[in-house]
């Protein structure tokens, strides 16, 4: 069975189990998975482990599922968890959930992640709208045979992060009195955090935030014609800007930021 047939089979299986057909999708990352749980009504869930041909994330705490329901009466599809490149799975698996979201009818995608702050004005606990990215993973998720069904061989990334969605996020942030920062996100492959020398190099290149996800999904979503909005939760100052980095700190900061992020995303959902 080829890649496309597998994606189609996974999609049909999911479609048969969900009542709603939302056109707004979400990807909620590390420690941020629970953000929307208390805000979603009529939730229906499917676990990735039950979906035929769906890849399995290897990292504990990243068990994936799709949840469909409504937020402020707007139908949404929430992807809880993601597959990271550092887990060692092939690119086709990392981007598989995004392609399934596209096939499920998603047109707009809101993503969240945890990121280190490279910009000296960013503090742990800040929320930051991603305005553009630098792909420092060393590879491109679309390398290899192009699936014409989704998009062209050479997709344009001039507006990888949709301007209308960003405007909506900024205005909701203002109304809610949330100090929403804006910046360029750089993806490193991980799983090690960066060195201080890498962080100063990345700052010189123009990056404000660093993380190990989102870029592959954004490239894949743009390839498939989806509009993307991405928000980082700054969980730490990047390497060399604080004493040391730990995953525990990342989780602790996402946990305390979840509520504000949930509020912001609900507001955005009502606006787009
Ligand atoms: N670097 C890379 N990924 C991250 C970081 C970081 O400092 N913080 C959270 N995810």
């Amino acid at each position: 069975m080829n890649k496309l047939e597998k994606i189609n089979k996974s999609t049909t299986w999911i479609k048969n189990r969900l009542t709603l057909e939302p056109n707004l999708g979400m990807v909620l990352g590390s420690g941020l998975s629970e953000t929307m749980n208390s805000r979603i009504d009529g939730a229906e869930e499917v676990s990735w482990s039950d979906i035929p041909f769906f890849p399995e994330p290897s990292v504990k705490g990243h068990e994936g599922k799709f949840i469909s329901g409504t937020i402020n009466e707007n139908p949404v599809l929430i992807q809880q968890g993601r597959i990271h490149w550092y887990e060692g799975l092939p690119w086709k698996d990392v981007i598989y959930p995004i392609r399934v979201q596209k096939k499920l009818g998603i047109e707009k995608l809101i993503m969240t992640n945890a990121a280190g702050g490279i910009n000296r004005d960013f503090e742990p606990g800040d929320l930051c709208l991603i305005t553009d990215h630098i792909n420092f993973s060393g590879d491109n998720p679309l390398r290899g045979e192009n699936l014409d069904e989704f998009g062209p061989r050479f997709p344009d990334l001039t507006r990888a992060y949709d301007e209308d969605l960003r405007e909506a996020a900024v205005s909701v942030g203002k109304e809610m009195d949330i100090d929403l920062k804006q910046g360029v996100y750089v993806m490193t492959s991980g799983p090690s955090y960066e060195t201080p020398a890498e962080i100063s190099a990345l700052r010189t290149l123009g990056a404000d935030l660093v993380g190990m996800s989102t870029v592959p999904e954004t490239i894949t979503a743009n390839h498939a014609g989806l509009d993307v909005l991405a928000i980082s939760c700054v969980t730490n100052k990047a390497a060399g800007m604080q004493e040391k980095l730990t995953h525990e700190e990342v989780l602790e900061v996402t946990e305390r930021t979840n509520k504000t992020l949930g509020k912001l995303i609900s507001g955005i959902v009502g606006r787009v």
Side-chain angles (χ1 to χ4, degrees), residues 114-117 188 193-194 210-212 235-239 245 250:
T188 54
Y193 291 114
E194 301 68 38
V210 57
M212 304 173 193
T235 51
N236 54 280
K237 287 177 172 278
L245 305 190
V250 170

Side-chain angles (χ1 to χ4, degrees), residues 9-231:
K9 290 236 184 277
S10 297
T11 307
T12 307
W13 190 92
I14 299 167
K15 257 191 183 150
N16 288 338
R17 278 156 189 84
L18 301 178
T19 315
L20 298 173
E21 293 186 5
N23 64 13
L24 178 61
M26 290 185 198
V27 177
L28 303 180
S30 296
L32 300 164
S33 282
E34 318 291 302
T35 313
M36 302 313 295
N37 279 3
S38 61
R39 296 174 188 271
I40 188 157
D41 295 314
E44 296 173 321
E45 281 188 21
V46 291
S47 292
W48 290 358
S49 52
D50 294 331
I51 305 171
F53 306 111
F54 215 89
E56 291 255 13
S58 63
V59 180
K60 271 258 164 289
H62 284 295
E63 285 86 18
K65 43 177 143 157
F66 287 113
I67 303 174
S68 169
T70 59
I71 294 175
N72 300 333
E73 290 165 31
N74 303 285
V76 294
L77 179 74
I78 297 181
Q79 176 187 322
Q80 276 195 358
R82 54 157 53 98
I83 298 165
H84 296 85
W85 174 230
Y86 61 72
E87 292 175 51
L89 297 178
W91 279 122
K92 70 172 175 35
D93 290 347
V94 175
I95 63 178
Y96 196 95
I98 302 298
R99 290 186 154 161
V100 167
Q101 290 215 39
K102 164 73 181 180
K103 285 281 176 183
L104 285 168
I106 296 307
E107 293 168 356
K108 295 177 200 307
L109 191 61
I110 302 178
M111 292 195 263
T112 66
N113 62 39
I118 297 178
N119 187 316
R120 293 191 178 86
D121 293 336
F122 294 179
E123 293 294 328
D126 280 349
L127 295 177
C128 180
L129 199 56
I130 299 181
T131 56
D132 202 348
H133 75 225
I134 298 172
N135 179 7
F136 222 68
S137 68
D139 204 349
N140 191 296
L142 302 180
R143 181 168 169 269
E145 178 205 3
N146 185 51
L147 293 188
D148 297 334
E149 164 105 3
F150 287 96
R153 170 76 292 188
F154 301 108
D156 180 21
L157 295 181
T158 309
R159 289 180 189 80
Y161 300 88
D162 184 76
E163 284 168 4
D164 293 339
L165 293 179
R166 274 158 51 199
E167 258 174 44
V170 168
S171 85
V172 171
K174 277 195 183 127
E175 280 162 33
M176 291 182 166
D177 214 11
I178 295 168
D179 177 22
L180 185 60
K181 305 280 202 284
Q182 299 198 35
V184 173
Y185 176 94
V186 59
M187 178 198 176
T188 54
S189 71
S192 64
Y193 291 114
E194 301 68 38
T195 62
E198 285 165 346
I199 292 302
S200 43
L202 293 170
R203 184 183 298 112
T204 304
L205 289 179
D208 298 293
L209 300 153
V210 57
M212 304 173 193
S213 69
T214 308
V215 166
E217 290 114 316
T218 297
I219 293 172
T220 307
N222 274 270
H223 177 243
L226 306 187
D227 294 335
V228 171
L229 179 77
I231 301 169

